[in-house]
Amino acid sequence: MSIRFCGLELAHPIINGSGTFDAIAAFRVFGEGLRGAFPFAAYVSKTITLEPRAGNPPPRLWEAPAGLINSIGLPNKGLGDYLLEDLPLLADMSTDPSGAGDSQAVPLITNVMGSNAEEISRLLEACDERPEISAIELNVSCPNVHTGLDIGADPRQLEQVVRAVRGRTGKPLIVKLTPNTADVALCARAAQEGGADAVSLINTLRAMALAPNPLSRPPRPWLGGVTGGLSGPAVRAVALAQVAAVAARVAIPVIGMGGVQSAAHARELIDVGATLVAVGTASFLDPAAGARIAAALHAGTAP
Amino acid sequence: MSQAPFGRRLLRVTSTDELGAYRVLRVADPHGPKPRAGQFAMLAAAEHWGGGREQRPYLPRAFSIARHSGGEAHFLLEDVGPGTKRLCELEAGDRLWALGPLGRGFTAPPEDLRAILVGGGVGIAPLAILQDAIAAPVTVLLGFRDRAHAQGATLLDSARVATDDGSVGHRGLVTELLASEIERDPCAVVYACGPAGMLEGVRALCARTGTPAQLALEAGMACGFGACFGCAVPRRGGGYLRVCLDGPVFDAGELERIDEHAGLSEVGQPV
Ligand SMILES: Cc1cc2nc3c(=O)[nH]c(=O)nc-3n(C[C@H](O)[C@H](O)[C@H](O)COP(=O)(O)OP(=O)(O)OC[C@H]3O[C@@H](n4cnc5c(N)ncnc54)[C@H](O)[C@@H]3O)c2cc1C
Ligand SMILES: Cc1cc2nc3c(=O)[nH]c(=O)nc-3n(C[C@H](O)[C@H](O)[C@H](O)COP(=O)(O)O)c2cc1C
Ligand code: FES
């Protein structure tokens, strides 16, 4: 079932969505054995920024109909400490999809975000120097400080930024598109024209919830970050439409995600053109969801 | 901390009982590791989880392991919303998904200090397994809303009870009982779990009297194993802690003021 993606050799097509699986925390909770029996074929880090971020004030979670709205706010230790402290702990991960002992290395994909081409360039250059990192995913759901518009929401701006930073790394560059835009396929084209090696989608859909207490007047937002992003089964039909639209318009590989809970769901994204499929929120229900889906895909059984 | 097997496991309910306003759920978990007092599990019913009002529950829910013996885990449940309601409906023979034991539990008291266990409402659950684990006699102080909830006190041995309405025991706050206990004998270490208001009362009192305290916190959780960063509470000195990974039991000194999102949800709030 081994699969090639941007020059990487992966054990199977199932990876994690950025920010939905913390490998270092998982080794603490489930033991070091997980390092050699990792549930995903590649490990995507949470979004890393130049400076440390504490994240949004709580509450950060709201359970929506068949889904989750999160306003986590991209907490991370910043590029410097990520490279210094986390990278060594992420080495030597391998996966054994068939359980037969023929384990395969789990490459590391580092997800980064910056608010302009200069910041992104610095992130890419730093990652480029590190052999532990196999590919870089660029999260473009970041507001441009001047226009307020997400960098990834405007195709022209997106193409400019990707073109400006592309040369800073020789590693595969994946652009993680935002679904909060008028035409995601146009944005995918723009990323491709700018020099991206792959695109990934969907990120969470912008969403909001009001506090449940009817006594609070005026109504007040529940989430500490006011708005958040919707994920889980609730977004799967949207993801299928967006992945299909993008795959039809670009020549580079596509990583599809959004609401995948089973091998049948993964198969649908592959059927509309995805090369890899990421599992996000489903891991919260069961950390082994990715492994289960990969195994079922392999066996050709659904779900 | 006891490490959890990777992946959720399907367990069978062996029995359930009403305990006043609460429900006790016993689950056969022959292959699960023995939990430490203060650890928790993420639970979801195997059938009819989701599709209820507002299509919830979707995510699993966190519950303290209230007791563990003979390959059975016990949970104390209070129906406050769709997830707890569904779990309260389970009967012997029904199946549920469980992930755990999770989180950092309580640390045993030093030999020369008396342990005072302070619980509020359904927050008494982790104190029961803690009482089982401490060989020496402990002082148990529990606070409840009313008589029906106060029946939960029978989960622990020799508890002194306070109720908001005075229907059982001391009329008033359990922190008032704690204050007089500490005054009587300050050589104590406090273990507390309950609503945010109570925990903040305990934290402030212990800070004032220099009493060491371990507080078991709650927060809305999506995963329970450090993956989502959703369960954040403010860390003293800045930044946030993950309740599921760094807690749920914290040394009081690690924490800032405890606000409403770091305790049991205010039970009975209209949703
Ligand atoms: C470590 C830990 C241990 C716990 N131990 C126990 C225990 O032993 N026994 C026990 O009974 N409980 C325990 N709890 C609390 C229990 O997890 C919650 O009561 C449960 O998750 C509530 O789920 P629900 O669906 O019944 O209610 P919900 O509807 O989720 O409501 C609970 C509260 O969540 C908020 N809320 C309402 N709607 C939403 C929404 N859509 N999304 C997000 N939040 C919402 C409101 O504040 C509401 O009052 C523990 C929690 C933690 C973190
Ligand atoms: C709690 C949470 C945190 C997330 N954090 C990030 C992040 O740091 N960077 C990022 O690019 N995407 C992040 N995402 C988006 C996911 O990677 C994924 O694109 C999205 O959740 C859709 O997939 P799903 O429905 O399978 O979860 C996050 C999603 C969730 C639910
Ligand atoms: S509940 Fe997900 S990180 Fe704590």
Side-chain angles (χ1 to χ4, degrees):
Chain A
M1 202 175 34
S2 180
I3 208 160
R4 281 196 81 73
F5 171 81
C6 294
L8 307 178
E9 180 88 12
L10 304 185
H12 57 73
I14 304 298
I15 66 173
N16 67 293
S18 169
T20 63
F21 198 92
D22 180 337
I24 294 170
F27 298 150
R28 260 169 76 185
V29 175
F30 303 113
E32 278 293 320
L34 194 59
R35 192 181 290 279
F38 204 68
F40 302 105
Y43 175 59
V44 184
S45 78
K46 206 171 161 46
T47 293
I48 306 297
T49 50
L50 276 180
E51 298 303 323
R53 287 170 64 111
N56 287 335
R60 293 178 171 183
L61 302 171
W62 176 261
E63 190 182 61
L68 170 66
I69 305 177
N70 84 78
S71 79
I72 308 296
L74 305 176
N76 76 94
K77 37 176 82 167
L79 177 69
D81 282 353
Y82 168 76
L83 297 176
L84 196 69
E85 297 170 4
D86 286 7
L87 270 196
L89 300 176
L90 296 170
D92 308 324
M93 302 198 307
S94 60
T95 183
D96 180 11
S98 61
D102 52 349
S103 70
Q104 209 168 318
V106 172
L108 183 59
I109 301 175
T110 296
N111 179 302
V112 299
M113 186 183 86
S115 54
N116 53 45
E118 200 218 309
E119 273 188 39
I120 297 168
S121 295
R122 286 169 61 195
L123 287 155
L124 297 194
E125 280 166 3
C127 290
D128 190 65
E129 285 175 9
R130 297 300 296 257
E132 301 96 320
I133 299 174
S134 294
I136 303 168
E137 183 174 57
L138 176 61
N139 179 356
V140 292
S141 298
C142 180
N144 174 316
V145 278
H146 301 297
T147 64
L149 212 64
D150 277 3
I151 291 175
D154 169 15
R156 277 182 46 202
Q157 184 178 202
L158 179 60
E159 184 175 335
Q160 271 169 20
V161 168
V162 174
R163 177 163 292 133
V165 304
R166 169 67 268 198
R168 305 306 173 114
T169 179
K171 297 185 196 283
L173 181 65
I174 306 158
V175 172
K176 179 148 182 191
L177 302 168
T178 171
N180 303 307
T181 181
D183 185 345
V184 71
L186 220 53
C187 296
R189 287 281 297 205
Q192 174 179 281
E193 296 312 312
D197 298 300
V199 288
S200 54
L201 74 159
I202 63 173
N203 208 324
T204 56
L205 297 166
R206 189 163 304 127
M208 181 169 162
L210 295 182
N213 186 353
L215 301 178
S216 80
R217 291 280 181 267
R220 128 187 108 72
W222 169 261
L223 295 167
V226 181
T227 62
L230 179 64
S231 65
V235 309
R236 193 170 72 83
V238 177
L240 193 63
Q242 294 207 357
V243 170
V246 165
R249 293 285 296 277
V250 296
I252 52 180
V254 176
I255 304 175
M257 71 193 94
V260 170
Q261 303 150 82
S262 68
H265 299 162
R267 170 62 55 200
E268 287 195 0
L269 288 173
I270 293 169
D271 285 344
V272 300
T275 301
L276 302 182
V277 171
V279 172
T281 307
S283 294
F284 300 162
L285 282 68
D286 182 2
R292 172 174 52 76
I293 291 170
L297 263 187
H298 182 59
T301 57
Chain B
M1 72 185 165
S2 293
Q3 274 175 345
F6 183 64
R8 63 180 186 177
R9 51 195 190 276
L10 195 56
L11 305 181
R12 198 173 41 81
V13 176
T14 49
S15 68
T16 64
D17 275 307
E18 211 178 283
L19 183 63
Y22 304 105
R23 193 135 194 106
V24 177
L25 181 72
R26 296 185 197 82
V27 178
D29 186 16
H31 308 298
K34 194 148 185 67
R36 265 185 88 135
Q39 288 195 294
F40 66 99
M42 298 297 285
L43 303 182
E47 306 291 332
H48 306 295
W49 190 257
R53 194 172 138 231
E54 297 286 313
Q55 305 297 310
R56 299 174 61 221
Y58 161 60
L59 297 160
R61 301 294 198 254
F63 296 93
S64 303
I65 299 161
R67 201 149 252 151
H68 196 276
S69 66
E72 265 191 4
H74 302 194
F75 298 95
L76 182 72
L77 309 181
E78 178 169 30
D79 173 359
V80 298
T84 47
K85 178 179 166 56
R86 177 70 190 103
L87 290 167
C88 284
E89 288 166 3
L90 292 178
E91 290 171 7
D94 288 346
R95 292 181 313 162
L96 54 79
W97 291 108
L99 178 75
L102 300 167
R104 187 173 70 158
F106 293 108
T107 308
E111 280 195 3
D112 51 336
L113 293 186
R114 175 178 58 125
I116 307 179
L117 280 47
V118 185
V122 79
I124 66 171
L127 303 182
I129 183 171
L130 178 64
Q131 187 176 39
D132 292 347
I134 301 178
V138 298
T139 302
V140 181
L141 310 173
L142 305 178
F144 298 96
R145 253 183 299 161
D146 52 26
R147 177 176 295 278
H149 289 83
Q151 284 189 48
T154 57
L155 202 68
L156 284 91
D157 282 336
S158 14
R160 279 176 57 207
V161 170
T163 48
D164 295 349
D165 63 1
S167 55
V168 185
H170 170 77
R171 175 199 288 270
L173 301 175
V174 70
T175 42
E176 293 159 10
L177 296 180
L178 177 63
S180 58
E181 276 296 323
I182 291 179
E183 198 171 313
R184 197 171 59 79
D185 173 11
C187 287
V189 49
V190 171
Y191 296 87
C193 182
M198 184 205 97
L199 287 179
E200 174 55 21
V202 171
R203 191 199 63 78
L205 175 65
C206 290
R208 210 162 48 239
T209 56
T211 314
Q214 296 177 30
L215 309 179
L217 262 61
E218 291 204 352
M221 288 187 178
C223 71
F225 58 95
C228 74
F229 285 75
C231 59
V233 293
R235 178 210 301 264
R236 174 175 233 141
Y240 294 98
L241 295 157
R242 277 174 280 181
V243 172
C244 70
L245 192 71
D246 305 312
V249 177
F250 295 95
D251 275 324
E254 294 174 88
L255 301 169
E256 280 288 352
R257 225 193 107 76
I258 297 166
D259 78 8
E260 61 172 313
H261 293 299
L264 281 172
S265 48
E266 294 308 319
V267 183
Q269 256 192 23
V271 174

